[in-house]
């Protein structure tokens, strides 16, 4: 198992939650508190406020800002966290008002991502998102270089420090984009290689801390880092999984989603999320023990729509039944009312209860697009036989008295199309003998 990153010198933190009448106070406060603790903060206190619209200067009202400043000095607060994404001017003004560092929700999530990223690609993606966020928050701290003046002894430099910072950040972002394009190209090559051996990909998606990595470990006997904290997993992990009565599939574990996920993160993690958009089947993992279950399902569906993955067949997997009074069960109504898969599985990744139901549901769905065929090949067609074996399309093989190979194939529509297109010269002698298995 991976060790959790060490968190030293936890800053004393004050959380500000400004609500309107439509917000769910309890769940939102719990979530921002978990985010702060996941980032390594010591949450000392939480202040709630109500405003119909944010203050244009400091986001919170003048009276609330004075209250925050008083608590900052009394409790030795080192960091103030806003449970909202605020503008750079508002963030800067509030810092001056309360005399303490202020961090908004987007900055907090980016900090967590920076701690969790382990792979080269993940670190590049996080740095790009951070620079995109920081580029609008450069502080004009170089006052002696900010103004360019005329006259002897008063002429400023050709470029102010602020402009230099912006230029350097812009250059670094261009460099990161180029490096991520190379990583994306490499990922596309690997994806094309997988398509040559047609093994379907099943991607796990869901709200952060829904138990995706724990379920991934239970299904694949892996040791992917799994912890009861937000964004424990950032980097996509893929493993081969053998399904009884089907064969091999590729199962991938992806980054968790969250309410108000910063758009810059979605853009930065585009190459990683491509694995989701190219999947044959999605497993939407849901924490069924949380009261915010339905709201979190909607948040995940919104992100899937944003990345163009909302039309991929999806199995809803309700995890953590060991924390409720529910038992493992499965409701299956595939394609009853529309072309959208409607299937639900209740299970516990912790105890293993219901895992067999999930594997059965995956097998049945993936089997819909496959058909069993019988194919007879002469000894001179051994090369085609070798190709079929390399693509893992042969389920069974027998040899008749004439030395011909009697193959039982399991083909999808695309596999059958490939066979007909690339071996059309054998159509009369081979494809004429390809017949659907009556079973």
């Amino acid at each position: 198992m991976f060790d959790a990153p060490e968190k030293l010198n936890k800053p004393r933190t004050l959380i500000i939650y400004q609500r309107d009448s439509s917000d769910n106070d309890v769940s939102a406060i719990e979530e921002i508190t978990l985010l702060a603790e996941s980032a390594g903060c010591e949450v000392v206190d939480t202040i709630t406020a109500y405003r119909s619209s944010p203050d244009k200067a400091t986001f919170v009202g003048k009276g609330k800002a004075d209250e925050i400043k008083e608590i900052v000095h009394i409790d030795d607060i080192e960091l103030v966290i806003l449970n909202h994404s605020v503008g750079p001017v508002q963030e800067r003004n509030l810092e001056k008002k309360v005399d303490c560092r202020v961090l908004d929700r987007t900055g907090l999530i980016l900090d967590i991502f920076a701690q969790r990223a382990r792979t080269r690609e993940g670190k590049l993606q996080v740095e790009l998102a951070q620079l995109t966020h920081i580029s609008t928050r450069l502080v004009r701290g170089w006052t002696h270089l900010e103004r360019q003046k005329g006259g002897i002894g008063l002429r400023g430099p050709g470029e102010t420090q602020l402009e230099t910072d912006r230029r350097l950040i812009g250059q670094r972002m261009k460099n990161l984009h180029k490096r991520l394009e190379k990583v994306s190209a490499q990922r596309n090559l690997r994806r094309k290689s997988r398509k040559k051996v047609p093994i379907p990909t099943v991607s796990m998606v869901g709200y952060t801390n829904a138990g995706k990595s724990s379920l991934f470990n239970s299904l694949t006997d892996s040791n992917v880092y799994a912890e009861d904290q937000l964004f424990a997993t950032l980097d996509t992990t893929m493993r081969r999984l053998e399904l009884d009565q089907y064969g091999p599939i590729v199962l991938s574990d992806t980054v968790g989603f969250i309410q108000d996920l910063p758009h810059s993160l979605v853009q930065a993690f585009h190459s990683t999320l491509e694995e989701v958009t190219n999947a044959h089947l999605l497993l939407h993992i849901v924490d069924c023990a949380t009261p915010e279950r339905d709201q979190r399902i909607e948040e995940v569906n919104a992100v899937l729509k944003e990345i163009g993955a909302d039309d991929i067949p999806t199995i809803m997997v309700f995890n953590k039944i060991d924390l409720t009074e529910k038992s493992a069960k499965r409701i299956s109504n595939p394609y009853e009312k529309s072309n959208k898969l409607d299937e639900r599985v209740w299970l516990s990744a912790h105890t293993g209860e219901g895992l067999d139901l999930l594997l059965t549901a995956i097998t049945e769905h993936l089997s819909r697009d496959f058909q069993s065929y019988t194919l007879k090949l002469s000894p001179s067609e051994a090369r085609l036989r070798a190709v079929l074996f390399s693509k893992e399309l042969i389920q069974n093989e027998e040899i008749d008295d004439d030395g011909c190979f009697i193959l039982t194939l399991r083909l999808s529509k695309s596999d059958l199309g490939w066979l007909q297109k690339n071996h059309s010269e054998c159509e009369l002698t081979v494809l004429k003998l390809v017949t659907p298995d009556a079973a």
Side-chain angles (χ1 to χ4, degrees), residues 90-136:
Q90 293 172 316
E91 185 176 300
R92 210 155 44 231
N93 289 340
L94 186 59
E95 281 186 346
K96 293 179 181 179
K97 184 72 175 179
V98 303
D99 193 24
C100 181
R101 185 186 170 212
V102 175
L103 191 66
D104 72 345
R105 179 185 177 88
T106 300
L108 176 62
I109 294 176
L110 287 172
D111 185 82
I112 297 174
F113 273 48
Q115 294 182 40
R116 301 282 192 271
R118 293 185 175 90
T119 66
R120 172 173 166 268
E121 181 183 9
K123 292 177 181 179
L124 290 175
Q125 292 172 141
V126 171
E127 184 180 355
L128 177 60
Q130 285 181 315
L131 290 178
T132 303
H133 184 67
I134 292 174
S135 62
T136 61

Side-chain angles (χ1 to χ4, degrees), residues 420-429:
Q420 292 171 330
K421 178 180 179 180
N422 293 280
H423 299 277
S424 57
E425 72 279 2
C426 301
E427 183 174 359
L428 294 177
T429 59

Side-chain angles (χ1 to χ4, degrees), residues 188-389:
N188 287 333
L189 287 176
R190 292 195 296 269
R191 191 178 295 120
K192 288 180 180 178
S193 297
R194 291 199 303 268
K195 287 183 177 180
K196 292 180 181 179
V197 180
I199 299 179
T201 300
V202 178
S203 290
M204 302 171 65
V205 299
Y207 208 82
T208 181
N209 205 31
K212 295 184 298 299
S213 296
S214 297
L215 180 58
F216 183 86
N217 289 336
S218 298
L219 292 174
T220 62
D221 293 326
S222 301
N223 61 344
V224 172
Y225 178 63
E227 195 63 42
D228 185 16
Q229 60 184 11
L230 303 185
F231 298 116
T233 301
L234 279 192
D235 305 303
T236 299
T237 305
M238 310 185 80
R239 293 288 186 274
R240 181 185 175 112
L241 175 63
E242 291 285 341
L243 296 178
D244 294 338
Q245 301 179 350
Y246 180 82
I249 66 170
V250 175
L251 186 66
S252 67
D253 182 22
T254 60
V255 60
F257 303 147
I258 196 171
Q259 182 180 2
D260 300 325
L261 185 66
H263 185 70
S264 59
L265 278 179
V266 176
Q267 289 182 319
F269 278 73
H270 178 73
S271 60
T272 298
L273 295 175
E274 281 181 350
E275 295 296 343
V276 175
T277 59
N278 286 277
H280 296 79
L281 176 67
L282 299 183
L283 303 181
H284 183 165
I285 315 302
V286 180
D287 179 0
C288 68
T290 179
E292 292 76 38
R293 183 183 73 183
D294 294 337
Q295 179 183 350
R296 293 183 176 184
I297 290 175
E298 293 178 0
E299 294 291 343
V300 172
N301 289 337
V303 177
L304 291 177
K305 184 176 182 179
E306 182 177 355
I307 64 176
D310 54 324
D311 59 344
I312 299 176
T314 304
I315 295 177
M316 301 294 297
V317 181
F318 294 89
N319 188 24
K320 302 186 182 182
I321 62 171
D322 53 301
L323 302 180
T324 68
E325 297 180 354
K326 296 182 180 295
S327 58
K329 61 180 179 178
R330 175 186 170 199
I331 297 178
S332 177
N333 298 300
Y335 309 98
E336 185 177 274
K337 296 181 180 179
S338 65
N339 197 34
K340 188 70 174 178
L341 180 64
D342 181 16
E343 185 145 15
R344 302 180 181 185
V345 179
W346 274 261
L347 54 78
S348 170
H350 179 67
T351 65
E353 183 181 6
L355 292 184
D356 55 332
L357 299 177
L358 176 59
L359 294 175
T360 299
I362 296 173
T363 300
E364 290 181 0
H365 169 74
L366 294 178
S367 298
R368 289 184 66 256
D369 295 328
F370 286 80
Q371 181 78 50
S372 295
Y373 297 91
T374 300
L375 175 64
K376 183 177 181 180
L377 295 180
S378 65
S380 62
E381 296 169 312
R383 177 173 295 183
L384 174 57
R385 170 180 170 271
V387 173
L388 293 174
F389 264 112

Side-chain angles (χ1 to χ4, degrees), residues 5-24:
E6 295 183 3
K7 299 181 178 65
L8 303 177
N9 301 324
K10 295 184 176 182
R12 293 174 61 83
T13 303
L14 173 66
I15 292 178
I16 310 301
Y17 175 62
Q18 185 162 282
R19 65 183 178 86
D20 58 38
S21 58
S22 64
D23 285 339
N24 185 328

